[in-house]
Amino acid sequence: MDYIGQTDIVDGFRNGIKHDNLSHAFVLTGETGIGKKTLAHFIAKALLCTEKGIAQPPCGHCRACKSFDEMINPNFFLIRSETRNIVIKQIRELIEDISVRPLQGRKVYIIEDADKMTNQAQNCLLKTLEEPPAYATIILTTDKYEALLLTIRSRIVRINLKPCSINEMKLLLQKKGINFDGKEHLLYLSRGIPGKAIQLLADKNFEENREKTLNFVFNEDTSSKLDFNQYLSKNKNAFYTCIDILESIYRDTLLLSCSLEDGLINADKKDNILKYANKHSTVDITDKISMIEKVRSNMKRNMNYQLAVDMLTLEI
Ligand SMILES: [Zn+2]
């Protein structure tokens, strides 16, 4: 089956192979959960497939594809961190392997979470990145591109993954057999990041978090504020989900204030949001969104948790 989403990137790889000008080292970047590892493995399998080649999706039944699925393809080498770091020993094993010419076709190397490489490991990889053998392709993945040494970054082609469209998200979840009936709002809330959607769909507390947040916004009385305040105080794990939901409701309010319905995240709550929009000015709502952004950035700088909860629930 073909890859879902990231069509420009997949097409780029196919063209590179077709015209024989594919670079030898890449780094796939993008947010956590966006699908960097899945894409790296798809590209690797396509590069190794002996039946169809990268111009087509990997066939899935040739010996190369089957052995790839079983993780025993001799032309495929995967480095992932078993512990906190990727250490120099693992890179030395890669270098040893890459020097051995394959019996046929290519060899593909993936380094997952490449930012976990120690400085020594990165330095050790440098020479190979400078002059990889013609039969080798090296693919790194990372959430933290800036954590890679400049010397590494200057020798590899960066490919940044883009968020998926809603349609692609739906196809992807269907392919994985994940049911999202009646939870479309959750796909929108995931902002095109499949891993986030999967995580939210599996989160048993999601609906409760959403109910609490909706109640806080629409009821606007002191007891709802205190109720939400206490809920967040007790459930630190729910905090980021709740502020994402909160922000999505305010953004929907702004859209409906401008009579725009396309792109509503909480379309199932349209009537309530419309009522709310009629009671508040756009300036008022924009201020609330700014407050959320302020809390988000303060949290990154280790703001006291209770203070953040109070700002969001009592001052907003
Ligand atoms: Zn194949």
Side-chain angles (χ1 to χ4, degrees):
M1 193 188 252
D2 206 353
Y3 195 80
I4 298 169
Q6 312 301 341
T7 29
D8 290 351
I9 298 176
V10 173
D11 288 350
F13 269 93
R14 287 181 179 150
N15 281 329
I17 287 287
K18 216 157 116 190
H19 301 112
D20 201 21
N21 60 1
L22 191 74
S23 293
H24 285 283
F26 300 89
V27 57
L28 304 183
T29 60
E31 278 190 63
T32 309
I34 205 160
K36 299 179 292 293
K37 290 174 193 169
T38 312
L39 181 59
H41 283 257
F42 176 82
I43 293 167
K45 188 172 172 180
L47 282 167
L48 295 169
C49 173
T50 51
E51 197 68 27
K52 289 194 168 175
I54 187 119
Q56 301 287 327
C59 75
H61 56 253
C62 71
R63 185 184 284 195
C65 281
K66 281 186 172 164
S67 61
F68 183 87
D69 289 340
E70 291 165 24
M71 297 290 277
I72 50 169
N73 187 315
N75 294 334
F76 177 61
F77 193 101
L78 173 67
I79 292 186
R80 50 168 60 134
S81 77
E82 304 297 343
T83 58
R84 215 158 56 90
N85 290 328
I86 293 172
V87 293
I88 195 164
K89 180 171 166 277
Q90 290 168 280
I91 302 300
R92 283 197 181 122
E93 283 165 7
L94 181 155
I95 292 171
E96 203 180 303
D97 189 275
I98 212 169
S99 64
V100 182
R101 180 175 287 277
L103 293 175
Q104 59 161 348
R106 298 167 178 275
K107 289 179 105 170
V108 182
Y109 297 79
I110 293 180
I111 304 178
E112 292 183 352
D113 300 311
D115 51 275
K116 290 185 174 169
M117 282 188 285
T118 60
N119 278 0
Q120 292 101 312
Q122 294 194 48
N123 280 320
C124 180
L125 184 65
L126 268 183
K127 183 117 184 67
T128 309
L129 287 180
E130 258 166 27
E131 295 170 54
Y135 50 77
T137 307
I138 304 168
I139 307 171
L140 279 57
T141 74
T142 179
D143 299 342
K144 304 180 195 79
Y145 178 67
E146 279 69 29
L148 296 176
L149 296 179
L150 261 176
T151 40
I152 292 270
R153 282 189 256 159
S154 65
R155 284 170 177 81
I156 45 181
V157 177
R158 180 183 185 180
I159 298 176
N160 197 34
L161 277 71
K162 300 276 180 309
C164 297
S165 69
I166 284 292
N167 259 346
E168 288 166 348
M169 295 273 274
K170 287 180 178 170
L171 285 171
L172 232 147
L173 294 173
Q174 277 161 358
K175 187 180 161 193
K176 286 182 182 287
I178 298 172
N179 181 15
F180 53 89
D181 282 352
K183 293 185 177 175
E184 271 79 4
H185 56 273
L186 205 148
L187 301 192
Y188 286 93
L189 197 66
S190 308
R191 297 199 200 103
I193 300 172
K196 175 102 180 156
I198 292 165
Q199 182 202 332
L200 288 178
L201 282 162
D203 181 354
K204 290 190 199 76
N205 301 318
F206 179 83
E207 289 308 323
E208 188 185 3
N209 291 339
R210 186 167 186 245
E211 277 313 309
K212 292 281 181 194
T213 313
L214 289 165
N215 182 53
F216 165 74
V217 177
F218 296 143
N219 284 335
E220 300 190 79
D221 52 20
T222 316
S223 81
S224 306
K225 286 185 179 188
L226 287 175
D227 184 46
F228 194 46
N229 183 291
Q230 280 174 7
Y231 182 72
L232 290 179
S233 302
K234 280 188 219 142
N235 298 284
K236 204 171 174 178
N237 289 341
F239 183 76
Y240 284 105
T241 305
C242 285
I243 58 173
D244 280 352
I245 298 169
L246 192 60
E247 191 170 7
S248 76
I249 302 168
Y250 292 142
R251 291 198 183 276
D252 284 352
T253 308
L254 285 182
L255 284 178
L256 288 180
S257 303
C258 308
S259 306
L260 297 169
E261 290 192 19
D262 273 359
L264 275 191
I265 293 178
N266 304 282
D268 57 331
K269 302 289 173 189
K270 198 180 102 187
D271 292 345
N272 300 59
I273 297 172
L274 202 54
K275 262 189 233 160
Y276 185 76
N278 288 332
K279 282 196 279 177
H280 295 269
S281 70
T282 50
V283 175
D284 186 14
I285 300 297
T286 314
D287 282 349
K288 290 176 191 290
I289 294 174
S290 307
M291 177 67 99
I292 294 175
E293 295 304 335
K294 191 171 155 191
V295 170
R296 262 192 225 280
S297 69
N298 285 346
M299 283 296 281
K300 275 188 195 150
R301 281 184 241 114
N302 296 322
M303 180 191 210
N304 173 278
Y305 179 65
Q306 191 56 49
L307 194 62
V309 170
D310 289 349
M311 271 174 82
L312 269 183
T313 54
L314 307 176
E315 289 178 37
I316 209 159

